[in-house]
Amino acid sequence: WSYVEEWNPPTTDSQILLDGETITFTGTYNPISVVNMIEILAGSFVMGSPTDEPGRNSNETEHTVTLTTDFFMSATEVTNQQYADLAQWAYNNGYCSSSSSSLTDNLDGSTQELLDLDDTDCEISFSGSIFSVDAGKENHPVMEVTWYGSVAFCDWLSLQEGLTRAYDHSNWQCNSNAPYQANGYRLPTEAEWEYACRASTTTAFNTGDCLDAGTEANYYGGAPQT
């Protein structure tokens, strides 16, 4: 046998077969994940914002949150190419439908829009049963994905890797409202996201108390600065 990508070949063995007999070798399938996941260790942090922070909402009161379970998150935003590749796999397997204007869900009777393909900001196209990414935009973060499209991406990834998908698309509950026990990929909880984003910082932004227009992109320019 020869090397096949994503498969661990069986150990070397020899057998003597009688005329007409056959033998089957098995290997272990180890799929290469679409996304690069990194481990986030459990811990405590102060969630929310101080009362004197400009632009805060009344429900953002500071409080200590303790995460008791380690978890994994993608090292970067999901890119156009990552989303297009997995959408192609899902489309080929009947998990979604698509036209030139919209990618829609097929799981559990859902027809929710997952990706707004005809929006001018979207850098993914669909034509002739093929998803493609605008030239030079392959590594840009995917845009015009709905919340449902983010959930679907998690479930496609689970299905591709032989895991139990975390979401029921008839009611959009994550593992019957028990996300920490989910077997497959899921979106982070609000606390998990803020914990990972802050990375032990306590400033208004995870990069400091103000945003630098010269070095930090993709932010709301009207945000308060100190």
Side-chain angles (χ1 to χ4, degrees):
W1 57 81
S2 59
Y3 170 76
V4 178
E5 187 177 14
E6 300 186 357
W7 285 86
N8 287 343
T11 57
T12 302
D13 195 6
S14 61
Q15 298 283 343
I16 298 175
L17 300 180
L18 299 178
D19 186 34
E21 288 187 330
T22 61
I23 187 170
T24 300
F25 292 95
T26 59
T28 304
Y29 181 51
N30 293 304
I32 300 171
S33 180
V34 171
V35 295
N36 176 26
M37 307 295 288
I38 58 174
E39 186 175 17
I40 310 294
L41 300 180
S44 299
F45 76 110
V46 176
M47 189 173 180
S49 60
T51 56
D52 59 350
E53 183 174 288
R56 75 182 299 276
N57 293 322
S58 58
N59 62 351
E60 296 177 329
T61 304
E62 287 185 314
H63 58 288
T64 299
V65 173
T66 299
L67 299 174
T68 59
T69 304
D70 301 342
F71 59 99
F72 286 82
M73 285 187 68
S74 174
T76 65
E77 296 93 336
V78 173
T79 67
N80 283 319
Q81 194 64 62
Q82 288 172 329
Y83 200 94
D85 287 346
L86 199 54
Q88 187 70 61
W89 178 86
Y91 177 83
N92 292 343
N93 283 277
Y95 300 136
C96 60
S97 299
S98 192
S99 66
S100 60
S101 61
S102 182
L103 173 65
T104 55
D105 192 27
N106 276 356
L107 290 169
D108 303 327
S110 167
T111 57
Q112 288 283 355
E113 183 175 54
L114 308 178
L115 179 64
D116 188 359
L117 289 163
D118 64 355
D119 189 280
T120 55
D121 288 331
C122 186
E123 298 170 337
I124 297 175
S125 302
F126 180 80
S127 178
S129 300
I130 300 296
F131 292 91
S132 60
V133 179
D134 294 351
K137 307 298 178 62
E138 293 83 0
N139 292 325
H140 286 194
V142 63
M143 297 189 293
E144 298 305 321
V145 179
T146 66
W147 179 86
Y148 303 102
S150 299
V151 164
F153 183 88
C154 293
D155 280 344
W156 297 339
L157 198 56
S158 297
L159 289 167
Q160 189 181 63
E161 297 188 9
L163 302 172
T164 302
R165 57 186 172 96
Y167 294 89
D168 182 341
H169 292 212
S170 66
N171 56 23
W172 300 101
Q173 289 183 353
C174 178
N175 195 42
S176 300
N177 287 331
Y180 296 113
Q181 284 74 52
N183 172 256
Y185 290 88
R186 62 173 173 82
L187 299 178
T189 65
E190 183 179 4
E192 286 173 335
W193 163 247
E194 185 166 339
Y195 177 70
C197 180
R198 283 201 168 277
S200 299
T201 62
T202 58
T203 49
F205 304 99
N206 66 334
T207 54
D209 281 321
C210 66
L211 294 171
D212 181 359
T215 61
E216 295 172 309
N218 219 14
Y219 70 90
Y220 174 52
Q225 297 186 7
T226 58

